[in-house]
Amino acid sequence: MHNKNYISVGIDVGSAFSFMTILAPDETVILKPFKITHNNKDSLERAVSEIKKAEELYSLESRTFLESTGIYHFPLFCYLVDCGFNASIINPIITHSTKNGNIRKVKNDKIDSKGIAKLV
């Protein structure tokens, strides 16, 4: 088990929407995967609100990790940075390597967002 001193936010980025999962430092799920629609202001504001709520609940800062997806991650990344969050881009080769342990190799955005949050 990792000894983290931050809230981990994993985002699996798609072209029109992304899935976000928030984990506590002990890797328990704070927020189950939920869909963020990139061109919907309410959806983006909810994502920010959920991250802030988790930070307040644990009195810790968050670190947000987005999988690099060509140009699709860039607007969401910039939005989160502009909102004051510590956000980083992860190479998809790294995130895909975590799937090798699963026999079925399921491709599911909700599962992937949780895997990204756990990875880091």
Side-chain angles (χ1 to χ4, degrees):
M1 182 181 300
H2 300 286
N3 187 13
K4 299 178 190 173
N5 59 350
Y6 57 87
I7 303 297
S8 184
V9 181
I11 301 178
D12 186 59
V13 180
S15 60
F17 61 88
S18 299
F19 276 92
M20 178 176 89
T21 300
I22 302 176
L23 299 180
D26 65 358
E27 296 186 358
T28 57
V29 176
I30 296 173
L31 179 70
K32 292 181 181 179
F34 88 97
K35 188 176 184 177
I36 303 169
T37 306
H38 298 166
N39 63 356
N40 182 310
K41 186 175 180 185
D42 290 337
S43 183
L44 293 168
E45 288 174 352
R46 177 174 177 225
V48 167
S49 173
E50 293 293 347
I51 296 170
K52 287 181 180 179
K53 192 184 316 180
E55 288 178 331
E56 290 173 12
L57 179 66
Y58 284 85
S59 299
L60 292 171
E61 290 187 6
S62 65
R63 294 185 188 172
T64 303
F65 303 92
L66 299 90
E67 185 176 50
S68 176
T69 52
I71 61 170
Y72 300 122
H73 68 273
F74 195 69
L76 185 55
F77 171 78
C78 290
Y79 181 78
L80 292 169
V81 169
D82 287 347
C83 288
F85 293 110
N86 179 340
S88 301
I89 307 298
I90 298 177
N91 188 315
I93 293 171
I94 295 169
T95 59
H96 290 294
S97 70
T98 63
K99 298 175 193 169
N100 292 337
N102 186 348
I103 294 172
R104 292 196 169 87
K105 296 189 182 4
V106 177
K107 171 61 180 141
N108 180 309
D109 295 336
K110 292 178 183 181
I111 293 171
D112 291 349
S113 68
K114 185 176 178 182
I116 292 167
K118 277 187 167 185
L119 176 68
V120 292

